[in-house]
Amino acid sequence: MAGSLAHKEWKKVFNQEHLEELFSLKLKNSTSTGIDWVTTEKLEQNLSQEIGIILRKCASSSYHFTRYREMLISKGAGKIPRCISIPTVRDKLTLSAVNEVLTAVYGANATTPMPQVIIREITDALKSSEYDAFIKTDIETFYASINHELLIKQVHKKIRKEQICDLITKSIKTATVKPNASIKTEGRTSGIPEGLSISNILANVYLQPIDEKYRSLEGCRYWRYVDDILILAPANQANNIRHMIEKDMSKRHLSLSKDKTIVGKLETGFEYLGYYLLPEKTSVRQSSIINFERTIESIFRSFSSAKKPNPEYLQWKINLKITGFILDNHKYGWVFFYSQINDLSCLAHLDWLIKTLCDRFQVKDIQFKTFMKTYHEITKALHSTDYVPNLDTMTIEEKRNIVQNIYGENVKDENDSFVEMRFRLLMKKEIRDIQKDVQPFS
């Protein structure tokens, strides 16, 4: 059944018309480039020919991925940076197609749920008298430790089509190298590269046996977000469950972090995915609030020290920190991420902080939005509010004004396509800043 589904999805996805549509929907506005530095604009000039090459080589199992470009993301002082693998645009299109096949075959079971959905489920479970203890743990170097043989074996249970398995195998074995690398680098023998469109779903497929076992384990509740695991259980079973999951992870060549493995009572509270949770209280982890405060203060400080301070830029940046925004129908922002809290005192504190920073840096005549109103708009009236910017509904002239007057780029005489590209590039940077505001969880 699953094998025939994979074959059916392959035919649906790997054809000229669908790949052209996929490029237009998923990749056309992408600004990242692989080690060959070929942009989406350049590839689009020969899109039909490039897709022809993809289809021909994939059908004959002769497709090979170009080495991925390494991009390091800092995780803070004293921590090893996260290594992201950036494929070429052609490889990105091929991987997007593979991802569609995998998503159709595995469905929701191999999709990483949103943190807010997990937190909502946890807060509901905390109200139950069934559990009085928690086990919280973290998989050490999760992606880098995934065993290729076990992963492919797991994939083969549902996907028998040779061409799909060939692409998956080659994609995870392709090396990630520094830009302008000239020395031939050996491919991977273990682990899967982070940053590929198929990375998350393959990681979830790899852990399906464990996820299924513990989700159905009687007397406990289990959640996993990438490498962060939380289990609620009766106190008299908690340590046994901890030892059991350690053994199960070991069978899949994975280790749990000793430093981050905690067994405790629910009444003492615990942190998970940036939240602080008690049976009757859901709040934001204190360190997350402190980090966010520093981010806001740094924006005020930069404004105050600028030779030519731009009040419009300050207002725009701070309001984005407060409300977040919607782009490509996705929600981004600090309050969006922490929308499951019922402890609103932290939001009142942040509103107080904005007023305090205005006084300290002598910022006058600028009206900022508030965290409290943002929370109520997001949780009560998101689909009707205009308090949170929806960038998808902005006109090109509004975008031109933002690029020109807020970010200080001269686009007055540029065409609409160029303005759209610059606007999206600037907003992608804002998204990266927002992601820093809510990371890391561990």
Side-chain angles (χ1 to χ4, degrees), residues 139-148 150 190-192 206 252-255:
I139 305 171
E140 284 192 331
T141 58
F142 176 31
Y143 279 72
S145 301
I146 289 175
N147 180 276
H148 286 182
L150 286 180
S190 66
I192 59 176
Y206 187 73
R252 300 198 73 76
H253 301 262
L254 300 173
S255 300

Side-chain angles (χ1 to χ4, degrees), residues 396-407:
I396 194 64
E397 288 310 311
E398 288 174 319
K399 294 175 181 178
R400 187 184 297 273
N401 179 64
I402 290 170
V403 175
Q404 176 93 20
N405 299 324
I406 293 178
Y407 290 96

